[in-house]
Amino acid sequence: MCWSGTADLVAGAGVGVIGVVCVAGVRDRRDLPLAALPLGLGAHQIVESMVWDSGGGVGPATVVWAVIALPLLAVWVPAGVWCAAPAYARRRLGFLVVVGSGTAAVLAYDLATGTVTAELRGRTVGYAFELSHAPLLVAGYLLATLGSLLLSGDRRLSALGILLAVGALACWVLWRLEFVSTWCALAALCSVVLLGWVRARPATPDMVSGSGVGRRRGVE
């Protein structure tokens, strides 16, 4: 995720703060799951700072890192997009939620029945675990996460999907070269994009009327 334990911790705290601001700024309850995503990304980086501190290997922090990165995000992203999407886009997104849920179930089973190990490699952390039907799981994961953003019917979320696709590819190349891990920077950038999305979202009529009632009562 990041090039050192300290960088992971600082970046995770920063992304977590963005997540709190996103959640606090939600004006439509349907947006809450997706708005809370930076909280998960921030926690993910903080967990990896513990992996750095432990020197890698096998341990609770390594397992939690894998659970967040694989089964949790495979469900969280498409489900969050489905909740926030307009009605006309929900049918196609419902299929991607099913794909994400099925992918997450297999990933969770593989993690539960296998061993996850972490190895510190200079300014990167390498994770190793056995996946059954790896190509199919990778395809399902990408389809559920990136696909849901691209098909969300929201231009900001579609732009986020493109940003994630390009950024993830660049980060993966740098990680494979064992040059430096830059996932934390990508997570921070995506969290800022989500913050802009939250602020641009309209409030639902019931929330607007509810706030209006509150103001009238305050005056009275």
Side-chain angles (χ1 to χ4, degrees), residues 36-133:
L37 183 59
L39 291 176
L41 297 178
H44 197 211
Q45 293 177 22
I46 292 173
V47 167
E48 190 173 68
S49 72
M50 300 176 186
V51 176
W52 279 99
D53 289 343
S54 65
V58 179
T62 302
V63 174
V64 171
W65 183 95
V67 168
I68 296 175
L70 297 173
L72 182 57
L73 288 180
V75 175
W76 191 343
V77 175
V81 173
W82 183 88
C83 289
Y88 69 85
R90 286 192 170 189
R91 178 171 297 181
R92 63 177 180 245
L93 291 172
F95 169 72
L96 296 179
V97 172
V98 173
V99 171
S101 300
T103 301
V106 178
L107 288 171
Y109 175 81
D110 286 345
L111 293 178
T113 57
T115 302
V116 184
T117 60
E119 179 184 358
L120 306 187
R121 304 171 183 172
R123 289 179 289 182
T124 68
V125 180
Y127 295 89
F129 39 82
E130 291 292 330
L131 293 180
S132 58
H133 309 96

Side-chain angles (χ1 to χ4, degrees), residues 135-172:
L136 186 60
L137 288 175
V138 171
Y141 186 95
L142 294 177
L143 180 61
T145 53
L146 297 181
S148 61
L149 291 168
L150 294 173
L151 298 176
S152 63
D154 183 295
R155 62 180 182 85
R156 288 178 181 268
L157 293 183
S158 296
L160 177 59
I162 295 172
L163 174 64
L164 275 171
V166 175
L169 178 60
C171 290
W172 178 79

